Amino acid sequence: MARTRNKTIITCAVTGAIHTPTMSDALPYTYDDIARQAIDAAEAGASILHLHARNNETGAPSVDPNDFTPFLSRIKQAIDAVINISTGGSLTLSIQDRIRPAATFSAEMCSMNMGSMNFSFHPLAKRYDNWKFDWEKDYVANSDGNIFRNTFRDIREAAETLAPHAIKFEHECYDVGHLYNLKFCMDAGLFKAPIFIQFVMGILGGIGADIDNLVFMKKTADKLFGDDYRWSVLAAGNAQIPLATTASQMGGNVRVGLEDSLFISRGQLADSNAQQVAKIRRIVEELGNDVATPDEAREILDLKGADRVSF
């Protein structure tokens, strides 16, 4: 009897809030570019699109719902991918501000950061002498003073505010302690199985991006959640494709995109989000897995469906 091929969900994180326009001409920040690159990524094989918004003129990260509206409807009209809206779009704003887009648009999914941490990308400031926009240099250089606040009170407020929307949370765990935070919150009734965990690796302030740490995170999640979770890996920088490949062979799902890495290979900037999606899709399929369609991702993750969003 032929072996049943595993289904691997590909998430594409299209723009994020770390990289700035100076760092890559391919990084989308206008409404048009975010929409176009998201659609192209879905057509390349991403069944989930993780979306941040940016100021249409300057490219600065934004959590204003008015900066999401112009591209959300365009994406939904063009393709059937699952839309996952970030609730971590600013390292300095309150949880109330950060969850407003997810609540406004009642998306199928949204991110849920599972602990407070140092979150810095200030070493990038030394790589550039000329910046496209005035805000960029200070934004990057001063990130060494950031504390990404996600207290238990913040998590509860986000969970309770978004609960009526039946949104599936992508629980972003940047270190092993965040898994224990998630277990505590599940025991308190804030989240119900099956949960979806994103192991976030390689951020300065979080767990390092290597295979030993991935195995440790997976073993810890198995111990805490048993069969009540699905998982994926997000690895920053040049660890993106290697750890995504490893995760796919461990039974996990994968995330790529210009939010997490600007490169397609060592030293070579990616041309687009779709290029990264196409690369990991080819690798995953050649190693024996099938890439999940959006509807298969909805079934695997127990999502509410695109007909119940507000955009």
Side-chain angles (χ1 to χ4, degrees):
M1 180 179 294
R3 180 176 70 90
T4 301
R5 289 165 65 97
N6 293 326
K7 297 288 186 179
T8 301
I9 298 169
I10 298 176
T11 294
C12 182
V14 174
T15 189
I18 297 175
H19 297 127
T20 71
T22 293
M23 298 176 186
S24 172
D25 290 337
L27 182 73
Y29 66 84
T30 68
Y31 305 149
D32 286 345
D33 284 347
I34 292 173
R36 176 180 53 80
Q37 287 215 36
I39 292 166
D40 289 348
E43 291 177 342
S47 55
I48 299 175
L49 299 171
H50 177 73
L51 298 175
H52 290 240
R54 290 180 179 252
N55 181 286
N56 194 56
E57 303 300 325
T58 68
S62 172
V63 296
D64 186 341
N66 291 326
D67 285 324
F68 283 84
T69 299
F71 59 79
L72 285 179
S73 58
R74 285 181 56 184
I75 294 169
K76 185 183 179 186
Q77 289 168 9
I79 43 90
D80 189 37
V82 176
I83 302 299
N84 175 336
I85 293 180
S86 173
T87 66
S90 171
L91 299 178
T92 58
L93 295 180
S94 68
I95 191 66
Q96 295 89 346
D97 289 328
R98 287 161 39 202
I99 66 176
R100 194 151 50 99
T104 299
F105 299 108
S106 193
E108 290 186 80
M109 297 184 71
C110 73
S111 59
M112 176 71 73
N113 301 281
M114 293 311 302
S116 300
M117 58 183 291
N118 293 335
F119 191 122
S120 186
F121 40 95
H122 67 278
L124 294 176
K126 298 178 182 178
R127 299 185 185 181
Y128 308 94
D129 295 322
N130 299 306
W131 300 83
K132 291 181 180 179
F133 296 103
D134 291 342
W135 63 271
E136 293 181 76
K137 182 177 180 180
D138 287 345
Y139 175 78
V140 176
N142 291 335
S143 64
D144 61 350
N146 288 340
I147 296 175
F148 190 22
R149 174 184 161 132
N150 298 285
T151 64
F152 285 111
R153 182 179 298 177
D154 292 338
I155 293 168
R156 174 176 288 277
E157 180 164 356
E160 292 178 346
T161 300
L162 297 174
H165 296 275
I167 296 173
K168 172 66 70 173
F169 298 110
E170 171 204 3
H171 296 281
E172 295 195 338
C173 294
Y174 294 75
D175 216 331
V176 67
H178 292 182
L179 296 172
Y180 286 89
N181 292 351
L182 176 54
K183 174 62 173 173
F184 173 84
C185 292
M186 286 190 72
D187 291 344
L190 293 181
F191 308 115
K192 297 179 180 178
I195 54 173
F196 182 50
I197 299 175
Q198 188 76 254
F199 299 142
V200 184
M201 311 184 75
I203 297 295
L204 183 57
I207 199 166
D210 61 54
I211 292 175
D212 285 346
N213 283 340
L214 173 57
V215 171
F216 180 47
M217 293 282 280
K218 172 69 166 56
K219 287 177 65 176
T220 303
D222 287 344
K223 178 176 66 177
L224 294 176
F225 308 111
D227 295 328
D228 288 339
Y229 82 105
R230 309 292 179 265
W231 64 282
S232 176
V233 168
L234 173 182
N238 60 20
Q240 181 185 77
I241 297 297
L243 280 190
T245 302
T246 302
S248 74
Q249 298 305 292
M250 291 173 60
N253 303 288
V254 302
R255 173 169 141 175
V256 296
L258 296 180
E259 172 174 350
D260 306 328
S261 174
L262 295 174
F263 294 85
I264 190 63
S265 60
R266 184 174 292 275
Q268 181 181 350
L269 289 170
D271 295 331
S272 66
N273 282 279
Q275 186 184 28
Q276 292 183 345
V277 172
K279 180 173 182 175
I280 195 60
R281 178 177 187 167
R282 175 181 58 78
I283 293 170
V284 164
E285 290 179 338
E286 288 183 356
L287 290 175
N289 290 10
D290 287 328
V291 170
T293 66
D295 282 343
E296 288 170 339
R298 290 181 172 99
E299 182 178 359
I300 292 167
L301 299 179
D302 192 28
L303 306 186
K304 67 181 181 180
D307 58 329
R308 295 177 59 191
V309 302
S310 298
F311 59 89

